[in-house]
Amino acid sequence: MRKPVQKVILTIVVAIPLLILAMPVVLALLAISDVPVATGGAVAGAQDAQRANDVLDRYWISASSGKPLTELKVSEQEAASLLAFAARGIKSARVGVTMTDRGLDVRLSIALPANPIGRYANFSFTLPSSVRGIMLERVRVGNTELPTELLSFFIRHGFDLVFGSDESDKITSAIQSIRFADQTMTVAYRPMPGITDRLMARINQS
């Protein structure tokens, strides 16, 4: 009985790293399509940069107010500009957003070099109203819906890369609620001065 058990354990030990390594490739293949989910002009034009800076200025002012809980309001157009600004490093990317009273639908399409598989890599998700901080719904890679926990993992990992190890939980816990009304998103959060300073420093470096 010992040898079969050893074989099973060895198979699992070998398979798990291979699955982890293969995951980005699988996700990339799932994302590819001939039709984009987001269309539009340049990723981040001058108006997008101005709107993004206006939002960041309001965030800086509210985060520095000394209040234990404060709010930041963002319009649909400003949300589109913020996301376009964030994706500006990918020249072929296009971002689309739709804001309703239910939440913010985000779409991202990246034009690919000529290939026999497809012309675009498509990604989308919904940021819904929530009284429990950041939550995500309908996370899709191409036409495939993924567990929201998977994207949450990547978001936390991204926060840790930008702000330092183990900072993602502090950032996500700082956001108390997100609500939508009249094409405006209102984020209630607890200011975190140290994180705010690092965020502004990162933006100024980019």
Side-chain angles (χ1 to χ4, degrees):
M1 293 293 292
R2 185 173 296 177
K3 285 187 177 181
V5 172
Q6 288 176 340
K7 286 184 178 180
V8 171
I9 294 174
L10 181 61
T11 300
I12 293 173
V13 169
V14 172
I16 289 176
L18 289 177
L19 287 172
I20 293 173
L21 291 173
M23 183 63 71
V25 177
V26 173
L27 291 178
L29 291 174
L30 290 174
I32 295 176
S33 172
D34 286 325
V35 180
V37 294
T39 59
V43 169
Q47 289 185 336
D48 290 314
Q50 183 58 56
R51 292 190 197 104
N53 284 330
D54 289 344
V55 173
L56 292 171
D57 284 343
R58 296 202 306 271
Y59 166 75
W60 176 257
I61 292 171
S62 63
S64 305
S65 65
K67 298 178 180 178
L69 186 67
T70 187
E71 292 185 342
L72 178 67
K73 295 183 182 293
V74 180
S75 69
E76 180 183 66
Q77 197 172 43
E78 289 173 333
S81 293
L82 280 169
L83 290 167
F85 189 74
R88 69 195 184 283
I90 308 174
K91 299 299 183 184
S92 62
R94 297 295 179 266
V95 177
V97 304
T98 303
M99 188 179 291
T100 68
D101 288 350
R102 296 188 304 274
L104 180 70
D105 296 323
V106 179
R107 305 173 300 280
L108 171 67
S109 292
I110 302 173
L112 303 174
N115 70 85
I117 302 176
R119 298 177 58 191
Y120 303 93
N122 292 321
F123 309 88
S124 62
F125 65 89
T126 297
L127 178 67
S129 294
S130 170
V131 294
R132 294 182 294 169
I134 295 178
M135 299 181 66
L136 298 173
E137 296 178 348
R138 295 188 291 278
V139 180
R140 290 188 175 92
V141 175
N143 293 321
T144 303
E145 188 163 340
L146 301 180
T148 55
E149 292 80 4
L150 186 61
L151 186 57
S152 296
F153 167 79
F154 286 120
I155 290 175
R156 289 196 303 270
H157 185 60
F159 280 147
D160 284 340
L161 286 176
V162 172
F163 299 109
S165 178
D166 300 325
E167 295 287 2
S168 59
D169 289 339
K170 296 178 183 178
I171 296 170
T172 53
S173 64
I175 297 176
Q176 301 296 293
S177 67
I178 302 174
R179 62 184 188 274
F180 297 87
D182 301 324
Q183 290 190 307
T184 299
M185 175 174 67
T186 302
V187 181
Y189 67 98
R190 291 184 289 104
M192 302 179 66
I195 296 295
T196 300
D197 292 341
R198 271 177 278 175
L199 172 62
M200 300 307 289
R202 288 283 184 177
I203 292 169
N204 290 331
Q205 290 172 5
S206 60

